[in-house]
Amino acid sequence: MLNFAREHKSEAGYLDVAANAHGAEKGLLVHRALGRVEAARPHVVEIGPGGGAAVDHLAAQLAAEPHQDRGVRLTLIEAPGVVSRSLAEAVERFNRVGECVLRHGFAQDLADLLVEPVEVISASALLHEVYSYGGGYPGLHAMMRTLPAVLTPGGFFCYRDVFGVEAPSLHERVIQSYNSRSWLAFLRMFTPQYLSEGRHPYHHAEDELVARQNSRIVPVSELDPATCAVITAPVGLFREIQRHYLTFRDQVWRSGALGFTPVLDGELAADWIDFRAGHKRVHYRLTDKVSRLPEQRQIMLAAMSEPYGDHHTIDSDIFDLLTDVALIAFLGAAEAGDAECARVWESWLLREGRETYAYLTLDHLLTAFAVHSAEAGTDTLLLPAQDGDIARVDRHYYNRFLGKRLANPLPDAKHLVLFRNIPREDTASLRRAFDVVRDHCGKPSLARIYAAINRGDNGTP
């Protein structure tokens, strides 16, 4: 796992808090899969459980429903050296309704970690880390070939990760313009580092990022934050820049380095004015650190806020605007060598700055799972088997923010896919699965899936 930042990934402020949300979303497919397996004591494996949000959700579901009588066994597999206090507590709670054990190892070694095939395997926000730290596409494909062997025939793999793009390919060239100073400063600092040190697929001549300011081509590392930039690049690269900006902004918020800390987790983080529009109230606390806001903006922050218990609340649109101003000062200070700002920047860079989130479009994802699982030699292959096994959960707040900052924002969302390990002899299930994926895949991909289904078989699905 090259460059995997164990220390930063297991930091309590990150793993127990920042990465420990959306438990219902993370556990949704597992719960759905359990309703479709017939084993008396089904065995579930979660790879990369983080802070245990999905474990807690599943425990609550089992306690409230008849599944608890089935004696569900849960095995958690976490990377060596990654430790979470909240996960340990979640394990204790799960053991009240089932059996739960924690083992350490890497996703690539799954076949060695499991002594027998299991009914359900779940991986939330994991495959982008396998890609980023575990060998790129070869690492991903190896895992896809491993899964059919460690799943029972008819078992399920629960996939959840960042939504890619709606374009046919991540390499499709598009044009994006930036006039926000904070985005331009981030582009200047982040993009050269990501392209040189991150694991990504943008290495072809036609993948070159071309930035123009005042109609002149300029290196991205020399962008002037005070001048609008027009950039041509692969759509997947813009996805990386956009997603990394959001994770960076969240980390800076949590650090308190801007002079204020918004509440990003729990009930107060979901104080919606209009959920579908992504409009909410932001709850925040002032810190004892130097504010990165100019004095007049600090006055505006106070004037636009309302007291709420021991903290304040403010409209998210106004808070986002003020945050942009503070981030400009933060990024400038980090570049200039300010100790605190540089520390926060480097911490984020080590933990997430080299990761690639969009490594496959949905079309290519479904095709890759079908084709590579068919090569596992198990007479099964992985495909979503029913309508509803493919879902997208939009991040409305982020999309509202992006729509106000970017000329052509890409939708920010999570993709959920429930893959079933379908035996080749189950022609009825394969036929239904083919009907499911045909709405999401192009004809060349459907042809590859069709060939994978019929490999070694003289019949048709």
Side-chain angles (χ1 to χ4, degrees):
M1 293 289 283
L2 187 63
N3 293 326
F4 184 74
R6 291 183 182 86
E7 180 180 351
H8 290 82
K9 287 285 187 181
S10 60
E11 182 184 27
Y14 171 73
L15 199 56
D16 293 334
V17 179
N20 199 27
H22 304 293
E25 182 181 300
K26 294 175 181 177
L28 173 66
L29 294 184
V30 173
H31 188 243
R32 185 175 298 174
L34 283 173
R36 288 160 61 177
V37 299
E38 299 178 355
R41 297 182 65 243
H43 191 175
V44 178
V45 173
E46 183 180 358
I47 312 171
V55 178
D56 264 335
H57 173 75
L58 186 58
Q61 294 296 313
L62 294 177
E65 298 180 6
H67 289 311
Q68 63 175 318
D69 299 331
R70 300 168 67 187
V72 175
R73 296 170 291 162
L74 176 61
T75 297
L76 307 176
I77 298 178
E78 188 56 275
V82 176
V83 180
S84 166
R85 175 184 54 79
S86 59
L87 177 61
E89 295 171 351
V91 169
E92 291 183 7
R93 287 188 286 272
F94 190 93
N95 277 323
R96 298 168 190 164
V97 295
E99 301 175 22
C100 184
V101 295
L102 173 64
R103 303 186 65 182
H104 286 89
F106 292 117
Q108 299 94 309
D109 302 323
L110 190 60
D112 297 326
L113 294 170
L114 299 179
V115 297
E116 61 182 4
V118 302
E119 281 71 32
V120 182
I121 295 176
S122 175
S124 178
L126 174 89
L127 264 66
H128 78 257
E129 293 195 344
V130 172
Y131 176 90
S132 299
Y133 306 116
Y137 289 122
L140 271 181
H141 297 161
M143 185 171 180
M144 293 173 185
R145 289 190 289 268
T146 297
L147 286 169
V150 295
L151 281 170
T152 58
F156 293 90
F157 175 67
C158 307
Y159 168 92
R160 174 184 176 271
D161 218 313
V162 173
F163 170 72
V165 296
E166 294 173 329
S169 168
L170 293 172
H171 298 271
E172 180 176 320
R173 291 186 70 78
V174 296
I175 299 173
Q176 180 68 277
S177 63
Y178 296 87
N179 57 16
S180 166
R181 290 176 65 98
S182 62
W183 279 86
L184 285 161
F186 179 80
L187 276 161
R188 184 174 68 187
M189 294 177 64
F190 165 72
T191 311
Q193 178 276 333
Y194 173 73
L195 291 176
S196 64
E197 299 182 25
R199 182 181 291 277
H200 58 82
Y202 309 108
H203 301 290
H204 300 150
E206 57 270 23
D207 290 334
E208 180 188 10
L209 181 150
V210 179
R212 289 180 172 87
Q213 288 186 314
N214 294 326
S215 300
R216 297 180 59 185
I217 295 178
V218 297
V220 67
S221 60
E222 297 177 13
L223 285 172
D224 178 4
T227 304
C228 179
V230 177
I231 301 177
T232 305
V235 65
L237 181 53
F238 284 123
R239 152 62 73 211
E240 297 307 323
I241 293 169
Q242 182 177 294
R243 181 102 278 276
H244 279 88
Y245 183 94
L246 295 175
T247 66
F248 158 72
R249 190 182 71 151
D250 283 357
Q251 168 136 337
V252 177
W253 272 354
R254 293 180 191 280
S255 74
L258 301 184
F260 48 82
T261 304
V263 178
L264 300 179
D265 311 286
E267 293 183 4
L268 293 181
D271 187 359
W272 296 104
I273 298 172
D274 186 335
F275 172 71
R276 292 198 175 277
H279 193 196
K280 66 179 182 178
R281 300 174 188 86
V282 173
H283 295 253
Y284 74 92
R285 292 178 174 83
L286 297 173
T287 70
D288 56 2
K289 298 179 181 179
V290 176
S291 176
R292 299 291 167 180
L293 283 174
E295 184 177 358
Q296 64 270 29
R297 298 284 182 168
Q298 295 181 47
I299 294 173
M300 181 184 295
L301 178 65
M304 294 292 184
S305 301
E306 298 179 4
Y308 193 100
D310 61 349
H311 60 276
H312 296 81
T313 185
I314 188 172
D315 182 278
S316 61
D317 290 343
I318 298 172
F319 189 76
D320 289 343
L321 177 62
L322 296 173
T323 293
D324 281 358
V325 175
L327 280 176
I328 295 168
F330 173 92
L331 289 167
E335 277 192 298
D338 177 88
E340 181 182 7
C341 293
R343 178 188 59 77
V344 174
W345 170 264
E346 290 297 332
S347 175
W348 169 78
L349 208 58
L350 283 169
R351 187 170 64 223
E352 298 192 53
R354 296 181 178 87
E355 295 186 5
T356 290
Y357 297 111
Y359 39 84
L360 291 168
T361 63
L362 179 60
D363 179 336
H364 293 164
L365 179 76
L366 297 174
T367 305
F369 264 99
V371 171
H372 293 289
S373 63
E375 297 172 347
T378 59
D379 290 326
T380 61
L381 74 165
L382 291 163
L383 282 170
Q386 296 182 9
D387 291 334
D389 283 353
I390 302 173
R392 185 177 113 181
V393 183
D394 288 326
R395 295 292 184 252
H396 298 299
Y397 166 64
Y398 284 146
N399 287 325
R400 180 184 181 91
F401 165 73
L402 294 167
K404 292 177 178 293
R405 296 299 181 274
L406 302 179
N408 301 297
L410 301 169
D412 192 77
K414 286 290 190 294
H415 240 144
L416 281 67
V417 183
L418 183 57
F419 292 94
R420 185 176 174 226
N421 194 30
I422 306 176
R424 290 181 191 277
E425 62 187 24
D426 187 353
T427 55
S429 293
L430 287 174
R431 186 180 296 113
R432 287 195 298 271
F434 194 80
D435 288 340
V436 171
V437 299
R438 70 191 305 172
D439 293 332
H440 303 278
C441 296
K443 290 182 179 179
S445 296
L446 290 174
R448 293 184 65 199
I449 294 173
Y450 185 85
I453 289 174
N454 289 285
R455 192 167 297 155
D457 182 2
N458 294 324
T460 59

